[in-house]
Amino acid sequence: MYTHVYYTTVWWMFTGNVAAFKLAYGHYDTSTEGRVKFDTVALNHGNRYNTDTNLFTSPYSGLYTFIAQVCDSNLVGFWIRTNGVIDISSARIYDHSELNCATTTGVTDLDKGDEVDVYINGEIRRFSTNQFAGDLIRRYYWLLHRQLYIRVH
């Protein structure tokens, strides 16, 4: 007599980069309600950064890295946010006596469709050094792996 026993295992699989962007000339814009507006798109592989909304939308679930730099002579704080929540990283310019720069970076898991932006709590002027960049490090896939075991009695 033969008994067939099935079980399912879920594995994470990874693949290479397929989404990346780099932006410059970021500035405060009253129409963006605190979201930094970037005028120059230096790189937009996969076309996932939208210059109208100032949002990066993740095309895949995966592991992403982001970096933002803000330069100004104002005291300002800024954050890299996911879906409007401050959860990736933050930085602050503390010295307002001259032009200063602050940089923040973070690595995070995103689901497909998550939106990422740079949010600021003050006004900044338009400088080429105000930049935002991101890259997909690893894309996640769900695979179902089925194995068959046969027991003989």
Side-chain angles (χ1 to χ4, degrees):
M1 181 171 125
Y2 294 94
T3 304
H4 300 279
V5 179
Y6 289 90
Y7 77 91
T8 302
T9 306
V10 178
W11 290 349
W12 278 109
M13 296 294 291
F14 304 98
T15 187
N17 300 347
V18 290
F21 68 95
K22 181 180 179 189
L23 314 165
Y25 286 99
H27 60 93
Y28 177 79
D29 187 324
T30 55
S31 67
T32 61
E33 298 179 5
R35 191 177 301 140
V36 177
K37 180 173 178 54
F38 294 91
D39 293 334
T40 301
V41 178
L43 177 73
N44 196 5
H45 286 287
N47 296 314
R48 302 312 282 178
Y49 186 82
N50 185 322
T51 54
D52 293 330
T53 63
N54 304 297
L55 291 168
F56 168 78
T57 304
S58 60
Y60 310 105
S61 295
L63 184 65
Y64 290 79
T65 184
F66 296 96
I67 185 168
Q69 176 175 281
V70 170
C71 301
D72 207 281
S73 56
N74 290 325
L75 297 172
V76 294
F78 62 99
W79 300 267
I80 301 175
R81 309 183 307 173
T82 305
N83 300 322
V85 176
I86 301 166
D87 63 349
I88 297 177
S89 63
S90 64
R92 179 169 290 284
I93 297 174
Y94 291 100
D95 185 1
H96 66 278
S97 61
E98 58 186 44
L99 182 65
N100 287 289
C101 296
T103 303
T104 187
T105 185
V107 175
T108 189
D109 290 307
L110 294 179
D111 291 327
K112 180 179 180 178
D114 281 348
E115 296 177 327
V116 179
D117 67 357
V118 176
Y119 181 82
I120 195 156
N121 72 344
E123 293 189 23
I124 57 171
R125 291 166 284 168
R126 186 177 180 268
F127 290 111
S128 64
T129 51
N130 293 338
Q131 300 182 18
F132 181 34
D135 187 25
L136 171 63
I137 298 171
R138 295 276 186 219
R139 181 178 173 184
Y140 298 153
Y141 287 99
W142 286 100
L143 291 181
L144 293 179
H145 176 72
R146 297 192 182 271
Q147 296 180 344
L148 171 64
Y149 285 95
I150 300 174
R151 256 188 317 200
V152 179
H153 292 283

